[in-house]
């Protein structure tokens, strides 16, 4: 029996717990998710380093999964645009059962290997693309089909699974095992198995974005200011990173469509928006290098 399906021996009387003890059991069990990702750090690092040159060459991040894993892939792909101004067309996710499966479980869709291959192939993967294949069990047919299609196209394949020796990690070029063990509620991989996948995806994609110069220091300076909250955040980040007054920061942001990177270079180098953009382009988007050029 798979680790993720094996009944936990820690809480055999879970259904009798008082509310505080019940909640404590769930929360305490989640700590295993962090430990599992930490244990996979060497493989995650290898994945980032292998993905980076492909993404720099114009490749895309392609996600494929089923159920909770599929939804986590969609979530990671969607959040890269507002957080890092990552082009939507360069982070694309497919999920077993189609877009509707984000909201309503499509039973049996995960068992269709041919559909997984077809859905991934429909994205027209190429050698610069990076496919992230997610399956808690590690043997989901839909995901295995997606791996086949991605590898056939020459894309880098990175497999995430929560059981050691899983086909998903074995068949991908880089396998990342997040060994979270039995769940508090037996077999419910939306619990710590899902949490570990969320952490791993956050870690992978955020590290990649840092390497792609989307961050200055530890500040999120390449966000898309698409709503009032983000406009305020852009202003606060600009003031903090530049040391300028709020009024000067606001004036700079107004001249560059609230792009924090550009505003920072404008303020710290004393140049206009066009010159700041040119400096950033010459520095491959790195604020640090644009400021020292």
């Amino acid at each position: 029996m798979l680790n993720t399906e094996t009944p936990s021996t820690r809480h055999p009387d879970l259904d009798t717990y008082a509310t505080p003890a019940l909640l404590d059991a769930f929360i305490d069990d989640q700590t295993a998710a962090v430990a599992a990702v930490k244990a996979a750090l060497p493989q995650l690092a290898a994945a980032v380093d292998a993905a980076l040159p492909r993404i720099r060459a114009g490749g895309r991040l392609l996600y494929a999964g089923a159920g909770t894993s599929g939804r986590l892939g969609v979530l990671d792909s969607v959040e890269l645009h507002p957080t890092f101004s990552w082009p939507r067309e360069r982070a694309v996710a497919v999920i077993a059962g189609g877009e509707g499966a984000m909201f309503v479980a499509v039973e049996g869709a995960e068992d269709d290997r041919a559909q997984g291959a077809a859905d991934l192939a429909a994205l027209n993967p190429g050698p610069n693309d990076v496919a992230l294949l997610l399956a808690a069990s590690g043997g989901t047919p839909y995901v295995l089909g997606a791996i086949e299609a991605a590898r056939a196209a020459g894309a880098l394949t990175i497999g995430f699974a929560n059981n050691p020796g899983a086909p998903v990690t074995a068949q991908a070029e880089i396998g990342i095992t997040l060994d979270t063990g039995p769940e508090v509620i037996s077999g419910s991989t939306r619990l710590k198995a899902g949490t570990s996948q969320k952490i791993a995806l956050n870690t992978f994609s955020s590290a990649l974005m840092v390497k792609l110069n989307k961050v200055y220091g530890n500040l999120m300076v390449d966000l898309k200011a698409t709503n009032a909250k983000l406009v305020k955040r852009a202003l606060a980040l600009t003031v903090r990173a530049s040391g300028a007054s709020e009024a000067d920061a606001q004036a700079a942001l107004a001249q560059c469509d609230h792009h924090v990177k550009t505003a920072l270079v404008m303020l710290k180098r004393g140049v206009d928006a066009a010159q700041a953009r040119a400096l950033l382009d010459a520095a491959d988007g790195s604020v640090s290098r644009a400021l020292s050029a």
Side-chain angles (χ1 to χ4, degrees):
M1 185 177 288
L2 298 174
N3 285 356
T4 51
E5 301 294 328
T6 302
S8 173
T9 59
R10 295 186 61 205
H11 301 283
D13 301 315
L14 188 72
D15 62 335
T16 68
Y17 286 9
T19 300
L22 179 63
L23 298 179
D24 185 66
F26 282 124
I27 294 168
D28 181 63
D29 200 54
Q30 293 288 316
T31 61
V34 177
V37 180
K38 276 186 171 289
L41 192 151
Q43 292 75 34
L44 278 166
V48 171
D49 289 342
L52 187 59
R54 291 169 167 84
I55 299 301
R56 279 183 173 151
R60 300 170 294 165
L61 295 171
L62 309 177
Y63 302 74
T68 297
S69 298
R71 295 181 190 102
L72 289 169
V74 172
L75 180 63
D76 200 67
S77 72
V78 168
E79 291 183 342
L80 292 179
H81 177 69
T83 308
F84 299 109
S85 294
W86 191 247
R88 290 188 181 92
E89 66 273 13
R90 293 186 66 192
V92 186
V94 294
I95 182 172
E99 290 184 8
M102 277 295 295
F103 305 99
V104 179
V106 180
E107 302 301 336
E110 68 178 49
D111 298 326
D112 194 336
R113 187 170 185 142
Q115 190 62 53
D119 286 353
L120 200 291
L123 301 179
N124 296 311
N128 285 329
D129 290 332
V130 177
L132 307 173
L133 301 314
L134 301 124
S137 70
T140 306
Y142 179 90
V143 179
L144 294 174
I147 291 177
E148 288 177 1
R151 293 203 67 161
L156 173 67
T157 52
I158 304 171
F160 297 78
N162 292 91
N163 288 293
V168 164
T169 52
Q171 293 178 24
E173 289 169 74
I174 298 175
I176 298 173
T177 300
L178 307 170
D179 189 5
T180 44
E183 298 284 0
V184 170
I185 297 177
S186 300
S188 183
T189 52
R190 63 179 288 270
L191 299 175
K192 67 175 178 240
T195 300
S196 72
Q197 291 182 5
K198 178 71 166 79
I199 297 171
L201 287 173
N202 272 351
T203 302
F204 172 83
S205 61
S206 296
L208 198 58
M209 293 299 132
V210 172
K211 295 278 191 179
L212 292 168
N213 301 316
K214 299 290 187 178
V215 173
Y216 174 51
N218 66 345
L219 301 178
M220 188 176 76
V221 294
D222 212 2
L223 76 161
K224 280 287 185 186
T226 53
N227 57 40
K229 176 190 72 175
L230 293 176
V231 168
K232 290 180 180 178
R233 183 178 295 167
L235 177 59
L237 287 166
T238 303
V239 169
R240 180 181 181 87
S242 69
S245 69
E246 189 168 302
D248 286 345
Q250 183 67 72
L253 286 164
Q255 295 174 50
C256 62
D257 196 27
H258 286 84
H259 188 222
V260 177
K261 273 186 166 185
T262 306
L264 284 177
V265 177
M266 291 170 65
L267 291 163
K268 292 178 80 72
R269 291 292 302 268
V271 298
D272 63 23
Q275 291 171 309
R277 291 190 188 99
L279 286 166
L280 282 166
D281 287 343
D284 195 27
S286 168
V287 174
S288 294
R289 293 205 297 273
L291 294 179
S292 62

